[in-house]
Amino acid sequence: MTADRLGNPVTLADPVALAAWDRTIENVLSHAAATPASLAETLDRAPDFALGQAARGIMLMTLARGELRPAAAAALAAARASMAERPVTAREAAYADALAAWLDGRPGVAASRLEGVLIAHPHDALALKLAHGIRFMMGDRDGMLAAIEARAGAFTAETPLAGYVMGCRAFALEEHGRFAEAERHGRQAVALAPRDAWGRHAVAHVMEMTGRVGEGIEFLSRSTAAWAHCNNFGTHMVWHLALMHLEAGAVDKVLALYDTGIRAERTDDYRDIANAASLLARLELDGVDVGDRWEEVGAIAARRVEDRQLVFADLHYLLALLRSGRRDAAGRLARAVGEGDAGEYDGAVARLIGVPAARGLIAWQDGDPAEAARLLNAAHDDMVLVGGSNAQRDIFEQIRIECLVAAGRLDEAATAAERRMAARGSQNRVARRILEACRRGPVAVIAAAALAGHRVPAHH
């Protein structure tokens, strides 16, 4: 029996495979583009490494792509075949159990199984990070914070990779509005682990959510080299920078970041589509002509209509379909959201929140703000369950408030805008726009209705 760099037992006798596995752990924690290569090297040298096979399956599941589920199931089969032929640790078996639960539509069980590993192996940063990611996708911010608070004490400044754990803690705190604590832990995280994009991203979230836009632009602009090693999470960091420039009114910079960073590579990862769709929608709500940029993301979304893996992804695909003029495809996607398996976590969320949210977005696009406001209000209180961050889901909140204005429900719109303003240090472009519209009254309602129901050419 050998051990990884954190002292956790692993059934890897080959030192080359062990070294590659150690690199894989840090690559996962740092969102490194090199993760697939280091994991492939591990499994090429040790294909019977059950923990590695199970971790591979879990990583595939995080991509929320239907065509990758067979590969994730094959990874589980490989892990179980290895476990049947030779002794493995309880830790390895737990990773396989977690993957099996997720494949069975029970991501919460998967996260709990991984978190259970930390009882016997408190320094298993990989289990902690994977569980953190699953709960993030589930919108389980309470579980995310509880898990990290329960285990973070085992990681001191002297513990290898501790900075990445602090980064997870920073993000969980930020999502709960505990901004001062989040920033402190996030700054500690990047001081200990300069490659910790997640912790740096938590600090950026704090600055955005507290209205410190100038400081946020400076913070992100001077640290781009710190996420050069990243996979498409680096693109998400650019998205955050673009949001801050939009808040500052620098539309030309936002469009340049979109073209040269966010969509420089025409990827079809759902997270990249979410970055693109939500930014374009924000720009349009701000009165910006985005040209033909919707067409590219809409064409990708059209290929995902029947995929039905994650509500968060579906709602962003839906935005892209609607704004690119693919109304029929949008209708098919909305129907697919309602047909999910209610016995699985995502299917239950889809029926509870995805259906009214999807129908609300369609009503908004169709120029019926009253119906859109009704439906988006129905989804509002539980919207966190679709997953993603507060900042990512905020596009749906912005659309909801715009629909309230357009429907003449000015008191409700003003209350929501005042909450935004108060939360962001009285510095929020969206809230100011809404409050001005509410003060102008009926004329503003007509203008807002035109924006909310702004039609795009039908796609042929």
Side-chain angles (χ1 to χ4, degrees), residues 201 203-209 212-220 237-250 254 257 279:
H201 151 265
V203 175
H205 267 266
V206 169
M207 291 175 176
E208 179 185 346
M209 299 303 288
R212 293 154 57 194
V213 174
E215 188 179 352
I217 290 172
E218 193 275 335
F219 173 74
L220 288 176
M237 297 291 281
V238 177
W239 179 81
H240 276 284
L241 179 59
L243 290 189
M244 292 179 181
H245 278 302
L246 180 58
E247 176 64 24
V254 176
L257 287 170
L279 183 56

Side-chain angles (χ1 to χ4, degrees), residues 158-342:
E158 290 72 39
T159 308
L161 309 180
Y164 298 108
V165 175
M166 290 183 184
C168 290
R169 189 176 192 178
F171 181 75
L173 287 164
E174 182 278 328
E175 290 296 285
H176 278 77
R178 293 164 60 177
F179 296 131
E181 295 170 87
E183 183 169 356
R184 184 175 71 253
H185 284 291
R187 290 188 180 277
Q188 289 174 346
V190 297
L192 283 173
R195 286 162 51 92
D196 181 23
W198 193 249
R200 195 175 301 274
H201 151 265
V203 175
H205 267 266
V206 169
M207 291 175 176
E208 179 185 346
M209 299 303 288
T210 55
R212 293 154 57 194
V213 174
E215 188 179 352
I217 290 172
E218 193 275 335
F219 173 74
L220 288 176
S221 296
R222 66 178 163 78
S223 61
T224 55
W227 65 74
H229 66 283
C230 282
N231 52 27
N232 62 341
F233 191 71
T235 306
H236 184 65
M237 297 291 281
V238 177
W239 179 81
H240 276 284
L241 179 59
L243 290 189
M244 292 179 181
H245 278 302
L246 180 58
E247 176 64 24
V251 170
D252 288 346
K253 289 183 178 178
V254 176
L255 292 173
L257 287 170
Y258 183 94
D259 293 335
T260 64
I262 293 167
R263 294 307 290 165
E265 295 183 30
R266 303 294 180 89
T267 58
D268 65 350
D269 187 296
Y270 83 88
R271 295 161 294 193
D272 297 335
I273 299 302
N275 291 334
S278 64
L279 183 56
L280 291 179
R282 283 171 167 88
L283 283 162
E284 288 191 327
L285 289 172
D286 209 35
V288 177
D289 183 349
V290 300
D292 63 358
R293 290 177 177 86
W294 277 115
E295 174 58 27
E296 179 258 327
V297 290
I300 292 172
R303 301 197 293 268
R304 292 284 161 192
V305 168
E306 308 296 339
D307 204 28
R308 201 55 294 285
Q309 297 296 308
L310 190 68
V311 179
F312 176 86
D314 290 334
L315 293 179
H316 286 89
Y317 293 148
L318 187 63
L319 272 180
L321 293 171
L322 291 170
R323 302 309 295 164
S324 65
R326 292 171 166 84
R327 178 62 174 77
D328 289 346
R332 294 198 307 275
L333 176 56
R335 288 192 293 275
V337 169
E339 294 167 358
D341 185 346

